[in-house]
Amino acid sequence: MAEETFQTASDLAYQIISQKILDGEFPPGMKLSRRKMAEATGVSVIPVIEALKRLESDNLVESKPQWGSFVTVPTLEKIRQNYQLREAIECQSARILAKSMTLEQKAVLMEIATELDTVPYTADTVIDSRNSHLMFHRKLTDFTGNQLLVDALRRINLFWVLCQAIGTNAPKVAYPRYWHRYLVDEIAKGDQDLAEEVMRRHVNDSLIAIIAAEEQA
């Protein structure tokens, strides 16, 4: 019989509230009343308070003194800051992998990269493509073995999913159809400076598209 994973009331509240935020049911700017969140999650107020603190750490919730907790509003400045941190994390991950990536890890990354480079980006595939893209970058960081990098990227990805939930997205970046496979191949060459340069270009291409879209809105 499989061993059941223990879940605290705080874990349950965190799971329910975060999912409702990422699904867009709790939109940016919405006030998260402790009493109402307790009703929505079926737990008491104390676990809700703990869950809201975790959500604030994940940048999904903002606390305003004397006013309470609110779903984060993804402003352009917050998106810029998010990408600055993403760039630092992913460039460092690329440098580490340039010296440590195994053949097995390269094969895993190349499989995901091939899907990203070959599956047409359409209304029917957009969600799967975005999930695959998140998985690709998560695996890159996982393979460094550095849990601090992994945890930091997880928080960044939560904020990015929040942006997607409200339509704050970059238009599809016109990458060459071999771009993700090229990224893996360049990292696998073992040159840390080259790996960092290619990863930085990859991350910033998306940011440039977002900024352009937001400035035209």
Coordinates of all heavy atoms in Angstrom, one line a residue, residues 5-48:
T5 N 1.1 11.0 1.7 CA 1.8 12.1 2.0 C 1.0 13.0 3.0 O -0.1 13.3 2.7 CB 2.2 13.0 0.8 OG1 2.9 12.1 -0.2 CG2 3.0 14.2 1.1
F6 N 1.6 13.3 4.1 CA 1.0 14.1 5.1 C 0.8 15.6 4.6 O 1.8 16.1 4.1 CB 1.7 14.1 6.4 CG 1.1 14.9 7.5 CD1 -0.1 14.6 8.1 CD2 1.7 16.1 7.9 CE1 -0.6 15.4 9.1 CE2 1.2 16.9 8.9 CZ 0.0 16.6 9.5
Q7 N -0.3 16.1 4.8 CA -0.6 17.5 4.4 C -1.2 18.3 5.5 O -2.2 17.9 6.0 CB -1.5 17.5 3.1 CG -1.7 18.9 2.5 CD -2.6 18.9 1.3 OE1 -3.7 18.3 1.3 NE2 -2.1 19.5 0.2
T8 N -0.6 19.4 5.9 CA -1.1 20.2 7.0 C -2.2 21.1 6.5 O -2.4 21.2 5.3 CB 0.0 21.1 7.6 OG1 0.4 22.1 6.6 CG2 1.2 20.3 8.0
A9 N -2.9 21.7 7.4 CA -4.0 22.6 7.0 C -3.4 23.8 6.3 O -4.0 24.3 5.3 CB -4.7 23.1 8.3
S10 N -2.2 24.2 6.7 CA -1.6 25.3 6.0 C -1.2 24.9 4.5 O -1.3 25.7 3.6 CB -0.3 25.7 6.7 OG 0.4 26.7 6.0
D11 N -0.7 23.7 4.3 CA -0.4 23.2 3.0 C -1.7 23.2 2.1 O -1.6 23.6 1.0 CB 0.1 21.7 3.1 CG 1.5 21.7 3.7 OD1 2.2 22.7 3.7 OD2 1.8 20.6 4.3
L12 N -2.8 22.7 2.7 CA -4.0 22.7 2.0 C -4.5 24.1 1.5 O -4.9 24.3 0.4 CB -5.1 22.0 2.8 CG -6.5 21.9 2.1 CD1 -6.5 21.1 0.9 CD2 -7.5 21.3 3.1
A13 N -4.4 25.0 2.5 CA -4.8 26.4 2.2 C -3.9 27.0 1.1 O -4.4 27.6 0.1 CB -4.8 27.2 3.4
Y14 N -2.6 26.7 1.2 CA -1.7 27.2 0.2 C -2.0 26.6 -1.2 O -2.0 27.4 -2.2 CB -0.2 26.8 0.6 CG 0.8 27.1 -0.5 CD1 1.4 28.4 -0.5 CD2 1.1 26.2 -1.4 CE1 2.4 28.6 -1.5 CE2 2.1 26.4 -2.4 CZ 2.7 27.7 -2.5 OH 3.6 27.9 -3.4
Q15 N -2.2 25.3 -1.2 CA -2.5 24.7 -2.5 C -3.8 25.2 -3.1 O -3.8 25.5 -4.4 CB -2.7 23.2 -2.3 CG -3.0 22.4 -3.5 CD -3.1 20.9 -3.2 OE1 -2.8 20.4 -2.1 NE2 -3.7 20.2 -4.1
I16 N -4.8 25.4 -2.4 CA -6.1 25.9 -2.9 C -6.0 27.3 -3.4 O -6.4 27.7 -4.5 CB -7.2 25.7 -1.9 CG1 -7.5 24.2 -1.6 CG2 -8.5 26.4 -2.4 CD1 -8.5 23.9 -0.5
I17 N -5.5 28.2 -2.5 CA -5.4 29.6 -2.9 C -4.5 29.8 -4.1 O -4.8 30.6 -5.0 CB -4.9 30.4 -1.7 CG1 -5.9 30.3 -0.5 CG2 -4.8 31.9 -2.1 CD1 -5.5 30.9 0.8
S18 N -3.3 29.2 -4.1 CA -2.4 29.4 -5.2 C -3.0 28.9 -6.5 O -2.8 29.6 -7.5 CB -1.0 28.6 -4.9 OG -1.2 27.2 -4.8
Q19 N -3.7 27.8 -6.5 CA -4.3 27.3 -7.7 C -5.4 28.2 -8.2 O -5.5 28.5 -9.4 CB -4.9 25.9 -7.5 CG -5.2 25.2 -8.8 CD -4.0 25.0 -9.6 OE1 -3.0 24.4 -9.1 NE2 -4.0 25.4 -10.9
K20 N -6.1 28.8 -7.3 CA -7.2 29.8 -7.7 C -6.5 31.0 -8.3 O -7.1 31.6 -9.2 CB -8.1 30.1 -6.5 CG -9.0 28.9 -6.1 CD -9.9 29.3 -5.0 CE -10.9 28.2 -4.6 NZ -11.8 27.8 -5.7
I21 N -5.4 31.4 -7.8 CA -4.7 32.6 -8.3 C -4.2 32.3 -9.7 O -4.3 33.1 -10.6 CB -3.5 33.0 -7.4 CG1 -4.1 33.6 -6.1 CG2 -2.6 34.0 -8.1 CD1 -3.0 33.9 -5.0
L22 N -3.5 31.1 -9.8 CA -2.9 30.8 -11.1 C -3.9 30.4 -12.2 O -3.7 30.6 -13.4 CB -1.9 29.6 -10.9 CG -0.8 29.9 -10.0 CD1 0.1 28.6 -9.8 CD2 0.1 31.0 -10.6
D23 N -5.1 30.0 -11.8 CA -6.2 29.8 -12.7 C -7.0 31.0 -13.1 O -7.8 31.0 -14.0 CB -7.2 28.8 -12.1 CG -6.7 27.4 -12.1 OD1 -5.7 27.1 -12.7 OD2 -7.2 26.5 -11.3
G24 N -6.7 32.2 -12.4 CA -7.3 33.4 -12.7 C -8.6 33.6 -12.0 O -9.3 34.6 -12.1
E25 N -9.0 32.6 -11.1 CA -10.2 32.8 -10.4 C -10.1 33.9 -9.3 O -11.1 34.6 -9.0 CB -10.6 31.4 -9.7 CG -11.9 31.4 -9.0 CD -12.3 30.1 -8.4 OE1 -11.7 29.1 -8.8 OE2 -13.1 30.0 -7.5
F26 N -8.9 34.0 -8.7 CA -8.6 35.1 -7.9 C -7.7 36.1 -8.7 O -6.5 35.8 -8.8 CB -7.9 34.7 -6.6 CG -8.7 33.9 -5.6 CD1 -8.1 33.2 -4.5 CD2 -10.1 33.7 -5.8 CE1 -8.8 32.5 -3.6 CE2 -10.8 33.0 -4.9 CZ -10.2 32.4 -3.8
P27 N -8.3 37.1 -9.3 CA -7.5 38.0 -10.2 C -6.6 38.9 -9.5 O -6.7 39.2 -8.3 CB -8.6 38.7 -10.9 CG -9.7 38.8 -9.9 CD -9.7 37.5 -9.2
P28 N -5.6 39.4 -10.2 CA -4.6 40.4 -9.6 C -5.3 41.6 -9.0 O -6.3 42.1 -9.6 CB -3.8 40.8 -10.8 CG -3.8 39.6 -11.7 CD -5.2 39.1 -11.6
G29 N -4.9 42.0 -7.8 CA -5.5 43.1 -7.1 C -6.6 42.7 -6.2 O -7.1 43.5 -5.4
M30 N -7.1 41.4 -6.3 CA -8.2 41.0 -5.4 C -7.7 40.9 -4.0 O -6.6 40.4 -3.7 CB -8.7 39.6 -5.9 CG -9.7 39.0 -4.9 SD -10.2 37.4 -5.5 CE -11.1 36.8 -4.1
K31 N -8.5 41.4 -3.0 CA -8.2 41.3 -1.6 C -8.5 39.9 -1.1 O -9.6 39.4 -1.4 CB -9.0 42.3 -0.8 CG -8.6 42.3 0.7 CD -9.2 43.4 1.5 CE -8.8 43.4 2.9 NZ -9.3 44.5 3.7
L32 N -7.5 39.3 -0.4 CA -7.7 38.0 0.1 C -8.0 38.1 1.6 O -7.1 37.9 2.4 CB -6.4 37.2 -0.2 CG -6.0 37.1 -1.6 CD1 -4.6 36.4 -1.8 CD2 -7.0 36.3 -2.4
S33 N -9.2 38.3 1.9 CA -9.7 38.4 3.3 C -9.4 37.0 4.0 O -9.7 36.0 3.5 CB -11.2 38.7 3.3 OG -11.7 38.3 4.5
R34 N -8.8 37.1 5.2 CA -8.5 35.9 5.9 C -9.7 35.1 6.2 O -9.7 33.8 6.0 CB -7.8 36.3 7.2 CG -6.4 36.9 7.0 CD -5.9 37.4 8.4 NE -4.5 38.0 8.2 CZ -3.8 38.5 9.2 NH1 -4.4 38.5 10.4 NH2 -2.6 39.0 9.0
R35 N -10.8 35.7 6.6 CA -12.0 35.0 6.8 C -12.6 34.3 5.6 O -13.0 33.2 5.6 CB -13.1 36.0 7.4 CG -14.4 35.3 7.8 CD -15.4 36.3 8.3 NE -15.7 37.4 7.4 CZ -16.5 37.3 6.3 NH1 -17.1 36.2 6.1 NH2 -16.7 38.4 5.6
K36 N -12.6 35.1 4.5 CA -13.1 34.5 3.2 C -12.2 33.4 2.7 O -12.7 32.4 2.2 CB -13.3 35.6 2.2 CG -14.4 36.6 2.5 CD -14.6 37.6 1.4 CE -15.7 38.5 1.7 NZ -15.9 39.6 0.6
M37 N -10.9 33.5 2.9 CA -10.0 32.5 2.5 C -10.2 31.2 3.3 O -10.0 30.1 2.9 CB -8.5 33.0 2.5 CG -8.2 34.0 1.5 SD -8.5 33.6 -0.2 CE -10.1 34.4 -0.5
A38 N -10.5 31.4 4.6 CA -10.8 30.3 5.5 C -12.0 29.5 5.0 O -12.0 28.3 5.0 CB -10.9 30.7 6.9
E39 N -13.0 30.3 4.6 CA -14.2 29.7 4.1 C -14.0 29.0 2.8 O -14.5 27.9 2.5 CB -15.3 30.7 3.9 CG -15.8 31.4 5.2 CD -16.8 32.5 4.9 OE1 -17.0 32.9 3.7 OE2 -17.3 33.1 5.9
A40 N -13.2 29.6 1.9 CA -12.9 29.0 0.6 C -12.0 27.7 0.7 O -12.2 26.8 -0.2 CB -12.2 30.0 -0.3
T41 N -11.2 27.6 1.7 CA -10.3 26.5 1.8 C -10.7 25.4 2.8 O -10.2 24.3 2.9 CB -8.9 27.0 2.2 OG1 -8.9 27.7 3.5 CG2 -8.3 27.9 1.1
G42 N -11.7 25.8 3.7 CA -12.2 24.9 4.6 C -11.3 24.7 5.8 O -11.4 23.6 6.5
V43 N -10.4 25.6 6.1 CA -9.6 25.5 7.3 C -9.8 26.8 8.1 O -10.5 27.7 7.7 CB -8.1 25.4 6.8 CG1 -7.9 24.2 5.9 CG2 -7.6 26.7 6.2
S44 N -9.1 26.8 9.3 CA -9.2 28.0 10.2 C -8.3 29.1 9.7 O -7.5 29.0 8.8 CB -8.9 27.6 11.6 OG -7.5 27.2 11.7
V45 N -8.5 30.3 10.4 CA -7.8 31.5 10.0 C -6.2 31.3 10.1 O -5.5 31.8 9.3 CB -8.3 32.7 10.8 CG1 -7.4 33.9 10.5 CG2 -9.7 33.0 10.4
I46 N -5.8 30.7 11.2 CA -4.4 30.6 11.4 C -3.6 29.9 10.3 O -2.6 30.4 9.8 CB -4.1 29.9 12.8 CG1 -4.6 30.8 14.0 CG2 -2.6 29.6 12.9 CD1 -4.4 30.1 15.3
P47 N -4.1 28.7 9.8 CA -3.4 28.1 8.6 C -3.5 29.0 7.4 O -2.5 29.0 6.6 CB -4.2 26.8 8.4 CG -4.8 26.5 9.7 CD -5.1 27.8 10.3
V48 N -4.5 29.8 7.2 CA -4.6 30.7 6.1 C -3.5 31.8 6.2 O -2.9 32.1 5.2 CB -6.0 31.4 6.1 CG1 -6.0 32.6 5.2 CG2 -7.1 30.4 5.6

